[in-house]
């Protein structure tokens, strides 16, 4: 076995490293060289490049680092001139936000690394935090999820003492420390939590409402036919040619902003919100 390993070690193709301080010698694959042997197709490399662009800041640091050689290999494959069409595909697709865009806040790498590691390992966190009003506080929390909303990254956490749920912006964390205590995630479901109310945009007295409003715009009628608020929406055309919408929806700043933004332009009027 040692002779076979020695032959493999002497070949540059495999990138094997040897530790001669031990007897018998210890062999291992060099960093990233296992991925260098991967035969990624241009299509697979394109998929990896798109994944890297969209999800790198939502992966735990240890996992992101382990995938880095594969992403590097994907870039190398796409840089090959014979893969020009696949390389250029990333320049032909985009996701456009439906709101104003801002520069993302600065998150210290150590903060992200520690938070993602604690979340990955289901361990408690001690956080030195400065809230939006500039008030500094030290909190112990159970990390439950990372949620990216527009340019900001939030930790959904449960306060250890009060049991309250909070959304803590990573860029407002000044120091983070892992506490070697296991997090009890029982009863928490991220999909259900996000579906319960608009993330960060619910009013203090959050409520579910039946929204009714009228409008005159044929263009808005087409838009709401193509992309309704939800499955409860009813769109009617009235005798005078105007339209009426009835829908059960969560009341929020987003909803109010939408009504205000499109109200004058699309002739929205007679807005009624009824709690249900």
């Amino acid at each position: 076995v040692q002779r076979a390993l020695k032959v493999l070690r002497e070949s540059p193709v495999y990138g094997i490293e040897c530790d001669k301080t031990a007897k018998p010698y210890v062999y291992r694959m060099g960093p990233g060289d296992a991925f260098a042997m991967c035969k990624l197709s241009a299509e697979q490399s394109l998929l990896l490049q798109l994944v890297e662009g969209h999800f790198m800041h939502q992966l735990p640091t240890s996992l992101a680092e382990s995938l880095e050689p594969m992403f590097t290999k994907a870039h190398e494959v796409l840089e090959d001139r014979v893969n020009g069409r696949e390389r250029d595909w990333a320049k032909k697709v985009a996701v456009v936000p439906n709101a104003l865009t801002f520069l993302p806040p600065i998150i210290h790498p150590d903060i992200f690394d520690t938070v993602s590691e604690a979340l990955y390992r289901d361990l408690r966190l001690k956080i030195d935090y400065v809230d939006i009003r500039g008030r500094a506080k030290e909190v112990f929390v159970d990390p439950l999820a990372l949620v990216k909303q527009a340019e900001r990254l939030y930790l959904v956490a449960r306060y250890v003492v009060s049991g309250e749920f909070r959304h803590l912006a990573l860029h407002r964390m000044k120091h983070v420390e892992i506490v070697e205590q296991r997090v009890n995630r029982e009863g928490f479901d991220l999909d259900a939590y996000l579906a319960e109310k608009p993330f960060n945009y619910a009013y203090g007295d959050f409520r579910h409402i039946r929204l009714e409003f009228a409008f005159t715009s044929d263009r808005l009628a087409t838009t709401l036919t193509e992309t309704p608020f939800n499955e409860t929406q009813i769109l009617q055309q009235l005798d005078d040619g105007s339209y009426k919408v009835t829908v059960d929806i969560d009341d929020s700043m987003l909803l109010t902003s939408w009504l205000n933004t499109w109200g004058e332009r699309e002739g929205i009027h007679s807005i009624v919100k009824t709690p249900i």
Side-chain angles (χ1 to χ4, degrees):
V1 172
Q2 286 287 322
R3 284 196 295 270
L5 288 171
K6 181 176 182 295
V7 173
L8 292 173
R9 165 69 183 86
E10 291 171 350
S11 172
V13 174
Y14 301 105
I16 295 177
E17 297 178 349
C18 177
D19 179 5
K20 297 184 179 181
T21 61
K23 295 285 186 164
Y25 294 163
V26 177
Y27 296 85
R28 69 175 183 181
M29 300 295 297
D33 285 319
F35 292 107
M37 297 168 61
C38 291
K39 301 299 183 183
L40 292 174
S41 68
E43 292 80 5
Q44 291 168 333
S45 299
L46 175 60
L47 177 60
L48 283 170
Q49 188 180 67
L50 295 174
V51 168
E52 179 187 21
H54 286 282
F55 295 109
M56 275 301 286
H57 295 295
Q58 293 173 273
L59 296 174
T61 301
S62 56
L63 181 57
E65 290 177 349
S66 68
L67 292 174
E68 185 61 34
M70 183 172 287
F71 292 138
T72 300
K73 181 64 178 178
H75 286 295
E76 292 174 355
V77 171
L78 292 178
E79 285 301 317
D80 191 324
R81 62 182 179 84
V82 300
N83 297 317
R85 289 183 178 177
E86 289 81 2
R87 180 189 63 229
D88 293 340
W89 180 256
K91 302 175 184 178
K92 299 177 180 179
V93 294
V95 177
V96 179
N98 194 29
L100 287 175
T101 58
F102 301 87
L103 291 175
I106 298 174
I107 300 173
H108 195 283
D110 289 344
I111 297 292
F112 178 80
D113 292 352
T114 304
V115 170
S116 62
E117 183 68 15
L119 183 63
Y120 185 60
R121 296 171 57 197
D122 284 330
L123 294 177
R124 187 164 288 173
L125 282 170
K126 181 177 78 171
I127 303 174
D128 292 335
Y129 192 77
V130 177
D131 66 20
I132 196 169
R133 296 181 177 87
R135 299 174 299 191
K137 55 185 175 181
E138 180 183 89
V139 294
F140 288 83
V141 303
D142 289 339
L144 300 172
L146 273 179
V147 176
K148 189 174 186 296
Q149 185 177 49
E151 300 83 10
R152 297 168 183 257
L153 192 60
Y154 293 92
L155 174 69
V156 179
R158 183 167 48 214
Y159 279 11
V160 172
V161 176
S162 66
E164 294 177 291
F165 289 92
R166 288 290 185 269
H167 307 157
L168 304 177
L170 266 67
H171 63 276
R172 298 194 187 115
M173 297 179 184
K174 303 306 176 184
H175 179 73
V176 181
E177 181 180 332
I178 290 178
V179 179
E180 293 293 335
Q181 294 183 26
R182 298 289 295 177
V183 170
N184 181 10
R185 300 182 57 87
E186 186 176 352
F188 178 80
D189 180 86
L190 181 58
D191 290 338
Y193 182 81
L194 295 177
E196 182 181 350
K197 57 184 178 181
F199 191 81
N200 281 347
Y201 286 107
Y203 290 124
D205 56 343
F206 171 74
R207 57 184 182 168
H208 198 60
I209 62 170
R210 176 155 295 157
L211 172 67
E212 298 176 272
F213 64 90
F215 62 93
T216 57
S217 169
D218 293 333
R219 178 173 53 189
L220 181 57
T222 300
T223 298
L224 290 177
T225 300
E226 295 171 341
T227 54
F229 284 106
N230 57 45
E231 65 278 0
T232 70
Q233 174 184 296
I234 299 174
L235 175 63
Q236 302 170 283
Q237 186 167 21
L238 304 179
D239 293 340
D240 62 0
S242 64
Y243 300 88
K244 179 183 178 181
V245 166
T246 304
V247 62
D248 296 344
I249 194 170
D250 297 329
D251 198 9
S252 68
M253 289 182 284
L254 286 177
L255 178 60
T256 300
S257 176
W258 185 90
L259 291 168
N260 291 337
T261 299
W262 297 103
E264 183 176 348
R265 176 176 173 179
E266 305 298 341
I268 295 176
H269 60 89
S270 304
I271 301 171
V272 178
K273 296 181 179 180
T274 306
I276 56 175

